[in-house]
Amino acid sequence: MEPNRTALPFREFSHRVSLIFMLTLAAALLLLGRAETYVFDQARQVVTDLAAPLLEIASRPVAATRRIIERTDEYAYVFDENERLRAENARLLEWKEEALRLQAKVARYEALLNVQVDQSIEYVSGRVVSDSGGPFIDTVLVNVGSDKGARSGLAVIDSDGFIGRIVSTGPRASRVLLLTDLNSRIPVVVEPAQYKAILAGDNTSWPRLEYLAAQSAVSAGDRVVTSGDGGLIPAGLPVGLVIQTNSGELRVQTFSDRGRLDFVRVLQYEFPSDVKLQDPPSMLRDSAPEGGAGAAAPESGGQSAAVE
């Protein structure tokens, strides 16, 4: 019991001394802070200056980690965006190829329509699909058959002019005999003098002009078109230009080129051969004698029947 009683006064004394010291220090700091504020500001600045490098060094790993995380997110976004752009680019390339193909097709159709043809003539558009074998040497196949109205004898043109005529048909395709074939014979007219002739193929690139009038003055560069004689081929279809060989023979450089045949038109041309039967003028009917009318009736009826 005695040691505890001895330690109790000492403990109370130490508490009192500590309290007095803290109060004195607080009062001193309060008075010093009010009297010399710039001292604390300067000390604070010194502490800040000393701590700034340490804080900067300590913040570098944090900043580096933050940048790595941001870069990782950016790389992930760029990768996804790159994949999306690649897929979109592939789709655009497909559309580009389709657009170029359609553009070329439209251009060929427009060129095909530039050939002047009588608007009353109907036509069917098709495409050259083959030029393989057959009974003729220089022919091509087009994908226009009898199901679309094609038949033997119809004229065929391309974007440059007349190329030939159909010689055989099937349900879905027809064979076209070109102007250069040995069996081709087409009535033509040499402009501007309108000399008639026959364009005869001989399996070369330049068919001959035959049966020209002896007094005809045809020269190189004259334009050749179809004449329409015979009623199978429309008149006025462009064929080519006259050229003259070294031997003086007249041939034709055709506008159409066999190596560039693509889209064609099959002209559904019908020669206007129907003529309506006309009655005699009323003046002649009224002036006929009464007696002779009955006698002439059988003869008149016979003529009418013959005309029909």
Side-chain angles (χ1 to χ4, degrees):
M1 296 297 293
E2 292 181 358
N4 292 335
R5 290 180 180 179
T6 305
L8 182 60
F10 179 77
R11 188 180 301 169
E12 292 178 355
F13 175 77
S14 63
H15 288 170
R16 289 177 183 178
V17 172
S18 298
L19 180 60
I20 293 171
F21 177 76
M22 294 300 295
L23 292 174
T24 304
L25 181 60
L29 291 175
L30 180 62
L31 294 175
L32 184 62
R34 288 187 176 182
E36 301 292 341
T37 56
Y38 71 92
V39 175
F40 287 95
D41 293 339
Q42 188 174 2
R44 189 183 304 111
Q45 184 64 36
V46 172
V47 173
T48 303
D49 293 340
L50 293 175
L54 298 176
L55 293 176
E56 183 180 359
I57 293 173
S59 65
R60 285 179 181 177
V62 178
T65 304
R66 185 183 298 110
R67 286 196 298 270
I68 292 174
I69 295 174
E70 292 177 352
R71 292 291 178 84
T72 303
D73 294 339
E74 291 178 358
Y75 289 151
Y77 173 76
V78 170
F79 180 79
D80 294 339
E81 185 70 10
N82 192 24
E83 291 297 323
R84 186 185 67 82
L85 291 176
R86 284 182 179 177
E88 183 177 355
N89 190 34
R91 291 194 300 270
L92 291 177
L93 288 176
E94 292 177 0
W95 280 107
K96 179 183 177 181
E97 293 297 329
E98 182 68 16
L100 291 176
R101 187 182 66 82
L102 291 177
Q103 183 180 9
K105 186 175 182 179
V106 170
R108 292 194 296 269
Y109 272 124
E110 289 178 348
L112 185 62
L113 293 175
N114 286 334
V115 180
Q116 298 298 323
V117 179
D118 189 351
Q119 295 182 357
S120 63
I121 300 176
E122 298 181 356
Y123 62 88
V124 179
S125 297
R127 191 170 188 175
V128 175
V129 295
S130 175
D131 58 356
S132 59
F136 305 100
I137 296 177
D138 211 2
T139 63
V140 293
L141 293 179
V142 296
N143 59 350
V144 178
S146 57
D147 57 348
K148 295 183 179 179
R151 64 180 186 276
S152 296
L154 293 183
V156 182
I157 64 174
D158 70 347
S159 57
D160 297 317
F162 182 58
I163 67 171
R165 57 187 176 85
I166 293 179
V167 291
S168 59
T169 61
R172 297 184 179 180
S174 299
R175 184 173 296 277
V176 179
L177 183 71
L178 301 181
L179 296 174
T180 54
D181 189 90
L182 179 64
N183 300 280
S184 176
R185 297 292 186 273
I186 302 297
V188 295
V189 170
V190 181
E191 296 178 340
Q194 301 298 312
Y195 292 116
K196 292 187 176 183
I198 297 295
L199 186 68
D202 57 356
N203 295 338
T204 66
S205 300
W206 306 279
R208 301 189 309 270
L209 281 177
E210 296 182 349
Y211 303 107
L212 273 170
Q215 69 277 14
S216 60
V218 177
S219 58
D222 289 348
R223 190 168 182 264
V224 180
V225 299
T226 56
S227 67
D229 292 345
L232 292 178
I233 300 172
L237 299 180
V239 175
L241 299 176
V242 175
I243 59 175
Q244 191 170 14
T245 63
N246 295 331
S247 60
E249 186 180 16
L250 294 177
R251 290 178 174 264
V252 174
Q253 175 66 62
T254 59
F255 292 134
S256 61
D257 184 358
R258 190 182 191 282
R260 296 188 296 108
L261 293 179
D262 190 2
F263 288 94
V264 296
R265 279 193 288 175
V266 177
L267 304 183
Q268 296 176 329
Y269 175 69
E270 292 286 348
F271 183 74
S273 58
D274 295 336
V275 179
K276 293 182 179 180
L277 181 65
Q278 294 182 347
D279 295 330
S282 58
M283 179 180 65
L284 296 179
R285 292 199 304 268
D286 295 342
S287 61
E290 294 181 359
E299 182 180 358
S300 176
Q303 289 179 354
S304 178
V307 173
E308 292 178 358

